[in-house]
């Protein structure tokens, strides 16, 4: 195999696929990146048997073929090379691979590409298309609420639940719940297309995070999703991400969301976030923050008081409904406020121990549900 | 005590003194920062019994006094406050201290300031003045060569050795040696000043690093140094750093520096540094890099060859003297090349196992000595 490509493009793409190469591979071949010549381009693949990433880049191919090279070492060398052309080549059947740039020459020992496991391919099955900006809204609005607890398997993923004309992203760790509703444009322009079949799937948070990073680098505008037998495949531009899906029934989270509220606050998101981030400095291991909602004065006081010290911040807000005192875990509140994309938000409440909904005013349809905690006296 | 000051100034100064507050204090009072009102300013002090830092800032003092507040917590709170004025106050004799900013109010519990240990003060003894730019040249050119091995006490510091009209900074860990000669301007303008007495002292690398950071923030142009009984005090602008000094006789490093050389290379520093940084990616635990100096072709090839892979880079250089092959520890070479401040450098050599000197062409008078290592066959 012999090809020449641009150092920057190779470096960028190696950075992407290396995210799917395990740091502690169970087999040596899983520590490599697979390089293939395909239709006048070079494809790069990283795969840890759960998450797979494939990208391609333009190259001048003198001799087609395939290579499996140590991913970390190759990435470090390419990253340090001067910009310009890089040539990678080996003699057929020889595992010693030579990398030549304007500055010098490097040689690495590759592995047998026949050992490289094939990425899952879904030949059949309907493809679901979405705008990337919608998909990213759904992903970012939900992923922070996934559980870190590996014993709660299904909760460590993001739930995608398609309904007629709507795709819902949801995640919950039992303390908070994030839901985003995406309304794709009507895609029935193509009369030959069969009507979209509903689907639901739970995708590991790790895979979704990598997808988020890749979409950030992509110039594509559409992403397609295909599902089959415990696998999901995303395609966009010249890139592909495959992931196993999580087994198990996702909890019926819609039951948690109250239909009516006795109180509603409208306020500036960044102002509350900044106040909570300051107050968090004096919070202790309980992470407890007290909210005193004063309906008469249209004020919200947030405060922390414990052995280390105490702090109080006061905000002018709009309140409908009666005054109320309640308490939250300050970390979950800060997480939610960081995710919400708008300047103004609403906080909807009933009693001091009933679910509270934080939502953006305008923009994407998003719900961040948080359970209050018992106030200490 | 009650004073009002600027949040940014307080934050910056707390950041500096907190570097001298131990993360694992042996006594609770050593986890605090001492705040004193002095002559219409506020002084801040951090002290871990070895390193002490004192700075001062402008403040509006309503009631003079002193406070000892938890350094880490105070630093975190002040860092997060909005810019503008901050007021810090307590009732006389009460350890509960209130911090008020435009956004909110915080309270912390301080400790008894009487317990705070006094920073070393040198009342007598001559003060040695230097330009800060000279001092920083000396510090940065030597500090990387200090030993990390705590069992070699005296080698973990930077040696300052004053001679008539010259101040020398030196450090060595046994593998490499950094020497910088500083020539202060003649300071005999003041006829009443007694002639400068020679001195020598070994200052812990940690203290010198903190000093480097502080000097980077300082607008002062002169630094003064005072010595006494195992203590050194540096003063510049409104800041002061005190440090214990290291005991023991510093080795006679000048004996290591060859007087004459059989070979000399002149080359572009950044070009060699970049080549070595690329080559270092394929180096193994031995860190060995081979130099092939070709006098006829006026070329230098640097290469690494081991089980992981191999790499070679070729540089055009000026060579006087005969061709030579030798080897170095690549890390020590890279360290040295990073320190040298000029574009062009010289590498002066004798045989393959004799000391090698790397020096800048022009600028500060600096010597980086490195021992070659045995070439493997």
């Amino acid at each position: 195999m012999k090809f020449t490509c641009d150092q920057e493009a190779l470096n960028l793409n190696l950075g992407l696929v290396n995210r799917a190469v395990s740091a502690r591979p169970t087999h040596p071949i899983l520590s490599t990146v697979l390089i293939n010549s395909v239709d006048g381009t070079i494809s790069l693949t990283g795969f840890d048997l759960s998450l797979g990433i494939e990208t391609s880049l333009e190259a001048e191919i003198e001799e087609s073929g395939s290579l499996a090279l140590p991913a970390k070492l190759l990435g470090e060398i390419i990253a340090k090379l001067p910009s310009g052309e890089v040539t990678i080549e080996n003699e057929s059947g020889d595992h010693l691979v030579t990398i030549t740039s304007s500055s010098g020459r490097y040689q690495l020992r590759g592995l047998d590409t026949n050992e490289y496991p094939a990425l899952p391919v879904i030949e059949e099955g309907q493809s679901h298309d979405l705008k990337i900006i919608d998909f990213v809204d759904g992903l970012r609005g939900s992923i922070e609420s996934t559980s870190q607890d590996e014993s709660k398997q299904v909760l460590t993923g993001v739930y995608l639940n398609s309904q007629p004309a709507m795709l819902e992203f949801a995640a919950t760790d039992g303390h908070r719940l994030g839901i985003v509703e995406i309304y794709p444009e009507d895609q029935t322009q193509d009369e030959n297309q069969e009507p979209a079949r509903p689907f639901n799937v739970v995708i590991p948070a790790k895979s979704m995070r990598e997808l988020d990073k890749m979409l950030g680098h992509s110039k594509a505008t559409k992403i397609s999703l295909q599902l089959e037998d415990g696998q999901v495949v995303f395609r966009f531009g010249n890139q592909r991400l495959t992931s196993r899906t999580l087994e198990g029934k996702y909890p019926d989270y819609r039951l948690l969301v109250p239909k009516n509220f006795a109180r509603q606050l409208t306020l500036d998101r960044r102002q509350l976030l900044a106040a909570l981030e300051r107050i968090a400095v004096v919070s202790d291991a309980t992470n407890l923050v007290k909210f005193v909602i004063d309906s008469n004065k249209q004020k919200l006081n947030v405060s922390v008081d414990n052995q280390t010290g105490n702090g109080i911040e006061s905000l002018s807000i709009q309140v409908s409904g009666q005054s109320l005192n309640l308490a939250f875990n300050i970390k979950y509140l800060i997480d939610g406020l960081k995710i919400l994309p708008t300047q103004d938000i609403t906080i909807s409440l009933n009693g001091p121990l009933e679910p509270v909904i934080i939502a953006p005013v305008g923009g994407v349809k998003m719900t961040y549900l948080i359970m209050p905690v018992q106030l200490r006296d």
Side-chain angles (χ1 to χ4, degrees), chain A residues 183-253:
Chain A
Y183 296 86
E185 286 161 6
D186 195 352
Q187 293 174 343
T188 52
Q189 304 98 321
D190 183 352
E191 292 184 4
N192 297 323
Q193 200 179 318
E194 54 179 319
R197 271 171 299 182
F199 68 91
N200 60 67
V201 59
V202 185
I203 302 170
K206 179 182 186 310
S207 303
M208 290 294 261
R209 278 189 215 284
E210 296 308 335
L211 194 53
D212 190 15
K213 288 201 190 83
M214 292 177 75
L215 292 172
H217 282 106
S218 176
K219 287 178 185 140
T221 56
K222 291 265 184 188
I223 183 168
S224 83
L225 172 164
Q226 275 185 299
L227 277 172
E228 195 181 70
D229 278 358
Q231 288 288 342
V232 58
V233 176
F234 293 97
R235 288 173 197 276
F236 47 98
N238 55 0
Q239 305 186 315
R240 179 158 70 112
L241 180 142
T242 72
S243 173
R244 77 186 168 93
T245 59
L246 295 174
E247 300 295 318
K249 185 174 155 37
Y250 204 81
D252 194 358
Y253 52 88

Side-chain angles (χ1 to χ4, degrees), chain A residues 107-317:
Chain A
Q107 290 188 305
L108 296 181
R109 202 158 287 283
L111 295 183
D112 188 347
T113 56
N114 292 327
E115 290 183 39
Y116 203 92
L119 242 61
V121 175
I122 300 177
E123 296 293 354
E124 312 214 338
Q126 199 172 28
S127 171
H128 304 273
D129 289 346
L130 264 175
K131 279 201 216 165
I132 285 180
I133 48 167
D134 287 343
F135 187 86
V136 168
D137 276 347
L139 187 161
R140 294 193 185 158
S142 56
I143 196 164
E144 287 303 320
S145 299
T146 54
S147 175
Q148 309 291 316
D149 183 351
E150 288 299 328
S151 72
K152 295 177 182 165
Q153 264 292 317
V154 79
L155 297 188
T156 64
V158 175
Y159 182 57
L160 269 64
N161 179 23
S162 87
Q163 293 165 20
M166 195 263 275
L167 176 63
E168 190 165 271
F169 290 69
T172 178
D173 61 3
H175 303 287
R176 66 277 184 64
L177 162 66
I179 309 173
V180 184
E181 296 172 19
I182 299 296
Y183 296 86
E185 286 161 6
D186 195 352
Q187 293 174 343
T188 52
Q189 304 98 321
D190 183 352
E191 292 184 4
N192 297 323
Q193 200 179 318
E194 54 179 319
R197 271 171 299 182
F199 68 91
N200 60 67
V201 59
V202 185
I203 302 170
K206 179 182 186 310
S207 303
M208 290 294 261
R209 278 189 215 284
E210 296 308 335
L211 194 53
D212 190 15
K213 288 201 190 83
M214 292 177 75
L215 292 172
H217 282 106
S218 176
K219 287 178 185 140
T221 56
K222 291 265 184 188
I223 183 168
S224 83
L225 172 164
Q226 275 185 299
L227 277 172
E228 195 181 70
D229 278 358
Q231 288 288 342
V232 58
V233 176
F234 293 97
R235 288 173 197 276
F236 47 98
N238 55 0
Q239 305 186 315
R240 179 158 70 112
L241 180 142
T242 72
S243 173
R244 77 186 168 93
T245 59
L246 295 174
E247 300 295 318
K249 185 174 155 37
Y250 204 81
D252 194 358
Y253 52 88
R254 277 283 169 194
L255 296 176
L256 293 173
V257 184
K259 296 276 177 288
N260 302 299
F261 296 95
R263 298 166 174 87
Q264 190 173 59
L265 324 182
T266 304
L267 51 94
D268 183 280
R269 179 179 66 92
R270 286 208 188 81
Q271 208 182 350
L272 178 58
L273 179 58
L276 290 173
E277 285 180 330
R278 285 193 288 270
I279 288 273
V281 174
V282 284
S283 73
D284 60 7
T286 66
N287 287 318
L288 192 136
V289 59
K290 185 177 174 183
F291 271 48
V292 174
I293 302 164
D294 187 328
S295 182
N296 297 326
K297 293 186 185 162
Q298 298 279 300
K299 281 265 180 193
L300 167 64
N301 282 348
V302 297
S303 61
V304 162
D305 189 359
N306 56 51
Q307 293 225 318
T308 328
N310 65 63
I312 183 163
E313 300 256 352
S314 186
L315 294 93
S316 293
I317 61 169

Side-chain angles (χ1 to χ4, degrees), chain A residues 19 39 50 57 64 85 102 105 111 160 214 220 276 290 297 317 324 337 345 355:
Chain A
R19 314 263 331 165
D39 303 335
S50 168
L57 69 152
S64 60
E85 290 191 342
S102 62
R105 200 185 73 229
L111 295 183
L160 269 64
M214 292 177 75
L276 290 173
K290 185 177 174 183
K297 293 186 185 162
I317 61 169
L324 182 71
L337 291 172
I345 56 170

